[in-house]
Amino acid sequence: RDETVDHCQWYGISCDDEGHVTGIDLRDNNLVGQFPVYTHDVDSEEELHWEFSKYGLANLYELQTLDLAENTLTGTIEYRPLYNLRVLTYFDVSGNQLSGEVE
């Protein structure tokens, strides 16, 4: 990744005038691996705490569209961090190898 290139210029990324990411369109883009939402940790009392990494999708508060369909993403989608995406209107992860239930 080239740190000198503005993230709004990255392939598949759309931004508003203020530089907030509003769209990610990486449909059929040969993505492989775990679905990227968040990082989490368990504290000494064994409670689950959500720690959103600066690279997590859950921090993209202005995200309106997310299209990751037709790739090879695996794992389960933890839906709780996605509650941060209050303006998300389009979400497509079909055609991947995800498991679990949508709540």
Side-chain angles (χ1 to χ4, degrees):
R1 176 171 103 212
D2 185 350
E3 297 286 339
T4 62
V5 176
D6 178 49
H7 63 274
C8 294
Q9 300 300 312
W10 294 349
Y11 175 81
I13 304 298
S14 302
C15 294
D16 62 16
D17 291 338
E18 296 176 4
H20 298 113
V21 175
T22 58
I24 299 175
D25 183 358
L26 296 173
R27 172 182 284 271
D28 198 16
N29 207 53
N30 297 316
L31 300 179
V32 177
Q34 292 285 317
F35 183 80
V37 175
Y38 65 95
T39 60
H40 63 78
D41 196 10
V42 177
D43 71 6
S44 60
E45 297 176 7
E46 297 300 316
E47 289 183 27
L48 188 62
H49 289 276
W50 301 108
E51 296 178 3
F52 302 110
S53 80
K54 69 178 184 175
Y55 301 111
L57 289 175
N59 287 326
L60 300 176
Y61 302 113
E62 301 299 322
L63 190 64
Q64 298 170 17
T65 62
L66 178 60
D67 190 344
L68 300 175
E70 306 302 328
N71 285 289
T72 313
L73 298 175
T74 59
T76 59
I77 298 175
E78 176 57 55
Y79 65 90
R80 287 178 287 184
L82 295 176
Y83 286 149
N84 285 346
L85 306 178
R86 298 187 187 274
V87 297
L88 187 68
T89 57
Y90 182 82
F91 180 82
D92 189 353
V93 292
S94 62
N96 283 285
Q97 299 170 0
L98 299 168
S99 60
E101 296 180 17
V102 176
E103 294 188 29

